Amino acid sequence: MSASLFRHLLPACLLLAAAPLVRAQRLSPLAPVPDWRELEAFQETITRAEFAQLLDAVYAPGDAARGLITVSDAAAVIRTSLNPAAEIQLRFAPIAATAKVPPRDWRPAASMGPAPADRPLAGVKIALDPGHLGGDWAKMEERWFQVGSSKPVEEGALTLRVAQVLAPQLRALGAEVSFVREKLGPTSPEKPETLRAAARAELALQGITNPRLTYDPALAVDPTRGQTVQWQSELLFYRIGEIRHRATVVNETLKPDLVLCIHFNAEGWGGDPRNPNFVPRNHLHLLVNGCYSAGELRFDDQRHDFLMKLLNRSHAEELAVSESVATALSTAANLPAYRYTTPNARPVGATPFVWARNLLANRLYRAPVVFLEPYVMNSEELWSRVQAGEYDGERLVAGVWRKDLFREYADAVAKGLVEYYGKARAAK
Ligand SMILES: [Zn+2]
């Protein structure tokens, strides 16, 4: 039995020559070439039964990994690149009792030991990741609308404010809190201008080889603006490069036990952010990483990244915390569960609120991620609560006494965390 992870080592010339290797890989936008040697540390850390269960029920339902990952009795054989084909062999632990501990920088709650009753989060490292950028970037990232001269609804500012209200509460409960983004704007040093070459490459992959450079921002609806270098480089900047940068900070510097990705949901509000469509619906869901499609798994980086999530066992922790937080938030905000009707998400766990979905952030952040999508920003109720802003105590909202939006959100998240960590640590 070979101890080597690599069944077929890549030729040395490919390892040494970066450019041919990049071309040999199939990579998502701005993804680095995956380092498959990282899997060596996970040899004999998981049984065949647990690997197969996580693969089939969570990460690659519907046999999405067929032809890419083959589960035999003793090992999973994983294709590390499609062209040229190379494979590694991940050996299973024969039984759970002899499985080695998987290497990871985060701690499950059950391993932390009991905490004082008034500080149930004592020692828990929690990273707060307010979604999006906000501020000067809110219009570019299309997370902004305004009705007449009313207060604009800007997701990147709302999420930051929730994080700011939540942080002192979590600290008072004993948590060590860090911010992945602590002010309006990007955390990444990149700019759209530095990503123009990558934007051209992405457009070329879409068959657009001679793209227009810019689009006119005055046009409310420009149906071809997605084909411009400007639009594509902006997209790479705020949606991909920014999250990749945050992931590097989370994984290499902050190393939290849990990441809270704070968002607000929205439904399509039409093409004009100054004349948005309102919807009557308001709802809640949370996302854990999973539900990769066969197409997504054909990207070498996504296959690598999901295996890092599967093998470090973040799923059980992120599902359990998400369920606790979802229950608290649904009660406090009186929100029903959102239900996907598309195949990119599937329900997981015992509540109707948590769905598995492959997002860049919950894929790249290796610690367990609670990805929050409560409230529909373009529902009239949410819009009016943004207009009401922050206030002390409670006010009547549609006939019900409510805290302000930020406190309601933050208090419920804190309550869900207290309930989860209180139970999980006492059970030790
Ligand atoms: Zn969002």
Side-chain angles (χ1 to χ4, degrees), residues 344-358:
N344 61 333
R346 62 160 24 204
V348 287
T351 75
F353 303 109
V354 185
W355 295 72
R357 188 176 160 192
N358 173 22

Side-chain angles (χ1 to χ4, degrees), residues 132 143 155 263-264 373:
H132 309 285
R143 287 294 187 281
E155 187 179 354
H263 288 254
F264 286 80
E373 287 282 6

Side-chain angles (χ1 to χ4, degrees), residues 252-271:
E252 295 177 11
T253 306
L254 303 179
K255 298 183 178 175
D257 298 311
L258 185 72
V259 186
L260 299 179
C261 289
I262 299 167
H263 288 254
F264 286 80
N265 207 347
E267 295 203 13
W269 61 56

Side-chain angles (χ1 to χ4, degrees), residues 37-118:
R37 291 170 300 183
E38 289 178 305
L39 261 66
E40 184 67 41
F42 291 95
Q43 295 287 12
E44 293 157 23
T45 58
I46 191 167
T47 62
R48 180 191 188 283
E50 187 177 1
F51 184 90
Q53 192 273 333
L54 286 169
L55 190 68
D56 295 339
V58 178
Y59 291 99
D63 214 9
R66 179 199 288 264
L68 301 166
I69 299 173
T70 306
V71 179
S72 69
D73 284 347
V77 179
I78 297 156
R79 287 188 72 172
T80 57
S81 71
L82 297 183
N83 182 27
E87 293 174 344
I88 59 175
Q89 194 165 194
L90 182 86
R91 297 186 305 280
F92 296 133
I95 54 171
T98 60
K100 295 175 183 164
V101 177
R104 57 192 172 200
D105 289 323
W106 59 273
R107 299 163 303 156
S111 76
M112 290 178 182
D118 60 339

Side-chain angles (χ1 to χ4, degrees), residues 93-395:
I95 54 171
T98 60
K100 295 175 183 164
V101 177
R104 57 192 172 200
D105 289 323
W106 59 273
R107 299 163 303 156
S111 76
M112 290 178 182
D118 60 339
R119 288 165 55 85
L121 304 184
V124 184
K125 293 170 68 179
I126 299 176
L128 301 182
D129 183 19
H132 309 285
L133 284 64
D136 293 343
W137 308 88
K139 290 178 189 171
M140 177 197 291
E141 62 179 347
E142 299 177 357
R143 287 294 187 281
W144 181 95
F145 69 81
Q146 185 176 29
V147 179
S149 58
S150 65
K151 215 183 270 184
V153 177
E154 182 185 312
E155 187 179 354
L158 297 176
T159 59
L160 180 61
R161 190 62 198 136
V162 171
Q164 289 166 339
V165 173
L166 178 58
Q169 291 194 48
L170 299 182
R171 288 185 178 122
L173 292 161
E176 296 173 25
V177 177
S178 57
F179 278 73
V180 183
R181 173 170 73 88
E182 53 192 346
K183 57 184 188 336
L184 295 174
T187 66
S188 162
E190 293 276 11
K191 294 274 180 292
E193 298 78 51
T194 62
L195 294 166
R196 282 186 188 147
R200 284 181 181 279
E202 282 304 310
L203 288 167
L205 285 174
Q206 298 168 23
I208 303 161
T209 49
N210 192 18
R212 272 193 294 149
L213 285 181
T214 59
Y215 62 88
D216 184 348
L219 291 176
V221 180
D222 176 353
T224 61
R225 68 180 181 171
Q227 300 175 12
T228 63
V229 174
Q230 180 189 351
W231 192 89
Q232 192 65 234
S233 62
E234 290 172 354
L235 191 74
L236 287 175
F237 163 70
Y238 67 74
R239 187 174 294 171
I240 297 174
E242 171 67 15
I243 292 172
R244 289 195 178 281
H245 177 73
R246 292 188 198 191
T248 301
V249 172
V250 167
N251 294 338
E252 295 177 11
T253 306
L254 303 179
K255 298 183 178 175
D257 298 311
L258 185 72
V259 186
L260 299 179
C261 289
I262 299 167
H263 288 254
F264 286 80
N265 207 347
E267 295 203 13
W269 61 56
D272 184 357
R274 291 193 176 274
N275 186 21
N277 297 327
F278 280 106
V279 296
R281 295 172 292 282
N282 201 3
H283 45 65
L284 155 77
H285 74 287
L286 277 73
L287 293 158
V288 297
N289 186 241
C291 197
Y292 289 67
S293 69
E296 288 168 338
L297 290 174
R298 292 185 72 78
F299 286 96
D300 296 332
D301 59 298
Q302 297 204 37
R303 211 159 56 253
H304 167 273
D305 296 342
F306 107 79
L307 281 164
M308 297 300 291
K309 288 291 286 192
L310 183 156
L311 291 170
N312 90 23
R313 306 300 214 288
S314 66
H315 175 72
E317 189 82 2
E318 60 189 37
L319 176 59
V321 189
S322 294
E323 288 190 319
S324 186
V325 170
T327 301
L329 199 43
S330 168
T331 305
N334 191 28
L335 291 174
Y338 174 70
R339 291 199 68 77
Y340 281 83
T341 54
T342 48
N344 61 333
R346 62 160 24 204
V348 287
T351 75
F353 303 109
V354 185
W355 295 72
R357 188 176 160 192
N358 173 22
L359 303 172
L360 188 57
N362 72 6
R363 177 170 84 240
L364 294 184
Y365 298 177
R366 295 200 175 158
V369 175
V370 172
F371 199 105
L372 295 136
E373 287 282 6
Y375 307 105
V376 173
M377 289 187 292
N378 57 323
S379 66
E380 281 210 64
E381 179 182 313
L382 209 282
W383 177 81
S384 68
R385 297 186 74 185
V386 171
Q387 302 309 307
E390 294 181 55
Y391 49 80
D392 291 331
E394 297 185 342
R395 287 188 191 171

